[in-house]
Amino acid sequence: MIRGGQNYVSSPPAFSNDGNRVLVCTGNTVSIFSSSTGLQVSSLEGHTAPVTSVFVVPATDILCYCWTSSFDGTVRYWDFSVPEMVKKLDLGMPIFSMVIPSFLGSSEENNAKTANVFAYVSVHDGKAWQIRKCSLTNYQNVGKLVLKETERLEPLIISPSGKFFGIKDKRKLHIWKLPRVESDLAVAKKITLHHTKTITVLAFHPTERTVAAGDVTGRILIWRGFGTQKFLDHSGSNNRISMNDGEDKNGVRQNDDAESCSAWHWHSAGVCLLSFSPDGAYLYSGGKEGVLVLWQLDSGKKKFLPRIGSPLLYFIESPDPSLSLISCADNQIHMLKTPSMEIIKSISGIKPPLSYQEICESFSGKAAFDCTSGLVAVQTENYGIQFYSLFANRGVYEVQVCERNHQPVDEVTVAVTLVELSVDGSIMGTVEIKLPEEGVGGLVSLKFWDLDSDTKRFSVSTVIYEPHRDAHISAIAFHPTRRMAVSSSYGGDFKIWVCKEGDIQQKGQALQNSGWMCHAVGSYKNKAMRAATFSADGSVLAVAADTVITLWDPDKNVLMAVVGETPTPIVSLAFAGKSEYLLSVSHGLKPQLSVWSMSKLTMAWSYRLQIEAVSSAIDSSYFAILALLPGSNERAFKGNGIILLFNATDPIPVASMSVTKAKGGGLAFLKGDLSERAVIDGKTSQTLLVYINGDREYVIFDPYDKEGHKLSIIRQDVALEETGQFGYSSIYGELPKFDLQKDKAASVMSTASERPWETIFTGSTHMLPPLTKLCSVFLESLLEKRAALAE
Amino acid sequence: MAEPLHSSQPKIFPVKPKQKPKPRTQNQTPESKYWSSFKNTQIQNLISVPSLTFSPSSPHPFAAAHSATVSIYKPQNDPLDSPTTTITSFKDVVSSLSFRSDGRLLAAGDLSGLVQVFDVGGGSAAARSALRRLRSHVRPVRFVHYPKLQRLRVISAGDDALVKVWDVAAGDSPVMELRGHRDYVRCGDSSPVDADTFITGSYDHTVKLWDVRVGDSKPAIEVNHGNPVEDVVFLPAGGMVATAGGNSVKFWDLISGGKLVCSMEGHNKTVTSLCIGRIGSGSDEELNQFRVLSVGLDGYMKVFDYSSMKVTHSMRFPAPLLSVAYSPDCKTRVIGTSNGIIYVGKRKIKEEEIEGRVSEKSLFWRIRPLEHTQKKVFRPSHFRYFQRGQGEKPSEGDYLIMRPKKEKLGEHDKLLKNFRHGEALVSVLEGKNPGNVLAVMEELVSRKKLMVCVSNLDAEKLELLLVFLRKYCTVPRYSGLLMGLARKVLKMRVDEIRGSEALKAHIQNLKRSIEEEIKIQQSLQEIQGIISPLLKIAGRR
């Protein structure tokens, strides 16, 4: 089994100490990426539930240890260079967030404390989220002491100095100061800062007692000198003074313990990201609109990195000051060159499903599969198609379908509703719609794309505006062997398109002339057509006209037969491989999967199932369906969906697998020649089935294999890493080797000489001995000379 | 590699009009480009022009017969309206004209049966009166021709079905009278390679090749075109002739005894005139490609490539065409129509030709002092020292680092970028390109701002919008959006429109054009109703 398509942005990533590795929480594992190539290097596997936080132990470059916490209630300690687990603590309660203050702060303190490491965790005890303290060295359970209970998940944020940590809770900030000497019973002191709006994010200044918080309206509040009264152990006098002149605390609400509070407002929507630069001079902020803003703390001046294209979530500085990471909501992690604010590389995860599914009836969030090269094409929020390699588990590239800039805050008016790939993966069809404004100006356009054989990228070949007048397109299907496609519409007709090749022999100009043309139009009793498919040899075209299936000769456009009737409209059609059976899926009140025999033109068998996806193996009569299970059955099977594998002749399933998040999922058989990339226990597998769930996580497995052998990937593309320069040397280059011997020699030369008066004053002034000393030497040298003359 | 850089970098998508489908065949072949490079000017206010002919001698003036007048024009004159010479000594309508091979004499025949020869080399005064009046035809003369290789003779023929050969020097009576045609003789041509043979075409459907050395009235070769022959022309090699009659142009091989080579059926009505056209510049004979130009009553001029048997260019004129002529220097092409307009197509001489001449001339001035070619070395005291090398051109092997191209944005794009939606709409409405207007409207729709823009337009700009709507509302490509928009505009701005007379007028125009469109739609539906049963029947078989 190969898993992939994980969410990279569920929790903040972390850099390793040398800055060469990025640790990203990906579901139940932690994936380790190389920051120089952006490719995955290894992963930490062991947690049984999603990992919620990863914390790299600060040390020298060589040591690679990290702590992780997970919803499975364990905290684990890893050596991620190997990678293997060193130890495991079971707290028994799901952990949402964990901070370990002990490792931060100055190094001397660190050494003293290594004996006893404490962590603050946010755990769930069955009723509410609690913040508790636990010792990581004594193998104890969570301390009994509850610092704070919150209703919702609130991540713990720690200050880079390790002295404070805090959480946001609705309109309040709670900040704790850590006790100077950690012990099980030492209680952290707490202050609370208030605001009038719901706070979304907070960040601590690296050196000063300053905290910044962003709220839902886009304001950034900066409290300076928080906790002057409570955290600083001064005498009561200080306390009294500040109580008296409350008007000095400009902007601070109520009796909050801070010296001043200022607000900045640039973001139009909620702030999602706040981070101070390591030197404390700048503040990074980002929000839903996808613009990274760099604020100069003293002056409030701004610099922008616009059009990242997706809401920003986390900003992580690397130990290398010129590199940082931004995590975006579209499952991309961008590496940012900090001084020039430009994106140099991206770790590209599969883009999340679109949030605007209910935009219109023709919208289909289904992914399209390129079975031969193992790619999946998914629609993205920014009106494009992302091609994601299933085996390499990374985004390959994206094509822009609508020529529009995507602004995450904008209302959705344009959408790519449909994407379809031909069997050999060389042609792509996309449908995009523009929503009308008050009934004016809606547009449907169909685009055909050709795969460039050199670059392996799609480029537009033909654009067809309003292919079925106003009616939306319900399905596109490609002919298995020829350059022919069919599009069916809700308006009650279907069109067959053919690609006329230009005279390639002639010139380059003629090539551009090749394009798709309408070859034929067909309709059946003006019924809405919701699905279309070609048979395996391409001789029959099946189009679903409402509740019946019409069979056509695609070349002559002649209606050959009309088959049967289902209780509710058919939404999906597929031929079962090379067999004579046709599958139809209908939704609605009486959902049904029907298998029709083409030789008898009657229904062979059917199931009352809510089918989400159907896929048939290309070269056999097997097909797989993904069925949604009704709520009552949920106990019998573990997930909310089931994959059933059938032979078309037989209504008894060959195999079944239970899956989760089946709503909006997809299925596809991958072709056997991929087996060189995937090996099951040494022997290659001919057929692989890929299941992609509603969150676009996928799993590839062999459906015929009963024992569920582990399918392992032979990674071919773990790129050799360049040994990049880092830190000082990356900016100024290597320093010349400091050679002590040489230095000494030079100094000797300047003092001892046969003729000291020549060298005595050479050298820079600050190197020379005081004049009083020089004078005597000088005079002495003159005297010697005289003596010599006298002789 | 992971993702390339630009995937998430800022990118601007300018608002572009929708693409139009490209024609499957290239509409501009190099040849049709050549033929459409003749820029048309018109000579108007004549009465139908049955004959046009170019002088074979430079600068190739052309003579046009119209009514009882012959006008000679110089195509080099820029306003072509006034002829250089006008000959009016005719009693009846002039039917045919022919220049002598040196261009000094012009023969003209008229419907009174008289053939006259004029001196056109000596200016307008000399041409007033005829040098010779050759009277022998009793019926109208339809064809007069100076043979291409003969200076002394003139051939004429007419409605009396007789072909006569005159010795111009000798005068009054014809040298030879050839009987053989049984109907009106309308046309003829002389061989470009032989001084003694010529052909005539007649309404008796035949084309006859005559040899003046053979005295008897028997044609050497006779071919049957199958229709009354309107025009006949020798192809430049002399071995083939093209005949026009009915709707077809036929090509005959004379050497093989009058075999039909091919037939061009491109015209929809009678082909009235033919001439030989030439592609190519100047003297180089091998580069020259000859074409047959034909004009017909259907108003089409077609260019036929008889070597590949293809119509290579076709051009439409708004009147029935009667005559065509092509100047020997390939610069001018004239077409005469039945309603008295001469279309003169003039082609600009290619720059290469001029350059070629110039370079030849400049050879004389190649001697140049060598010192000047050496580079001057600047001293730091000179200001140019600080600019040295700025104008340096890259040499062959240099790796060029181009300045990143700045994307050019239109006015409307800039305004849209600044969210000044209303101004963008107005600026594009003031422009000329309806495609751009539509693109901006679509962009506004997707920003959900079109209705706001429309409701905020002031009266003047609203007028602009209404004018646009009236113009393009019924264009099928735009109607989808514009019809809906027009309705919305009327609904939203009804008060302003009622208040202003100018706007009301626009609305009435809009109404009219929509009514027109509805009529068209109805008639189209009627046609569809007629056709669809036929198609059904055809489909059954």
Side-chain angles (χ1 to χ4, degrees), chain B residues 18-38:
Chain B
K18 279 185 211 167
Q19 291 160 339
K20 285 178 212 164
K22 271 181 248 156
R24 200 139 284 278
T25 51
Q26 275 185 319
N27 61 346
Q28 280 286 21
T29 58
E31 175 147 354
S32 69
K33 218 180 207 171
Y34 175 85
W35 291 111
S36 46
S37 71
F38 286 90

Side-chain angles (χ1 to χ4, degrees), chain B residues 32 300-303 311-316:
Chain B
S32 69
Y300 275 98
M301 182 202 83
K302 293 199 189 267
V303 181
V311 176
T312 52
H313 185 67
S314 174
M315 201 174 199
R316 198 173 165 196

Side-chain angles (χ1 to χ4, degrees), chain A residues 307 343-344 346 398 403-405 411 413 435-438 440-441 443 463 465 500 509 512-513 517, chain B residues 2-3 5 8 10-13 16 18-19 23-24 26 443 445-446 448-451 481 484 488:
Chain A
R307 296 189 212 186
I343 291 169
I344 49 170
S346 299
E398 263 180 61
E403 293 210 326
R404 270 182 74 77
N405 285 313
E411 202 180 335
T413 55
L435 296 182
E437 182 192 6
E438 297 182 30
V440 174
L443 180 74
V463 184
Y465 300 105
K500 287 264 164 62
Q509 295 178 339
Q512 299 171 349
N513 248 347
M517 283 177 80
Chain B
E3 199 93 331
L5 308 187
S8 51
K11 201 175 167 193
I12 298 158
F13 299 107
K16 277 180 293 192
K18 279 185 211 167
Q19 291 160 339
R24 200 139 284 278
Q26 275 185 319
E443 176 64 24
V445 164
S446 56
K448 297 222 185 272
K449 288 289 184 296
L450 184 60
M451 293 306 139
L481 197 157
K488 282 275 168 196

Side-chain angles (χ1 to χ4, degrees), chain B residues 337-385:
Chain B
T337 66
S338 68
N339 59 0
I341 299 172
I342 299 177
Y343 292 97
V344 183
K346 283 198 277 191
R347 190 170 69 91
K348 279 189 182 163
I349 318 156
K350 271 187 191 165
E351 282 159 25
E352 294 166 24
E353 296 170 36
I354 299 168
E355 268 174 32
R357 273 175 223 159
V358 168
S359 66
E360 270 170 40
K361 275 182 192 167
S362 65
L363 280 176
F364 294 102
W365 306 100
R366 273 285 159 80
I367 315 144
R368 219 164 58 186
L370 265 176
E371 292 84 2
H372 281 271
T373 56
Q374 277 180 351
K375 260 196 180 167
K376 201 174 169 185
V377 178
F378 294 110
R379 292 283 165 88
S381 60
H382 196 277
F383 82 99
R384 298 265 296 272
Y385 172 81

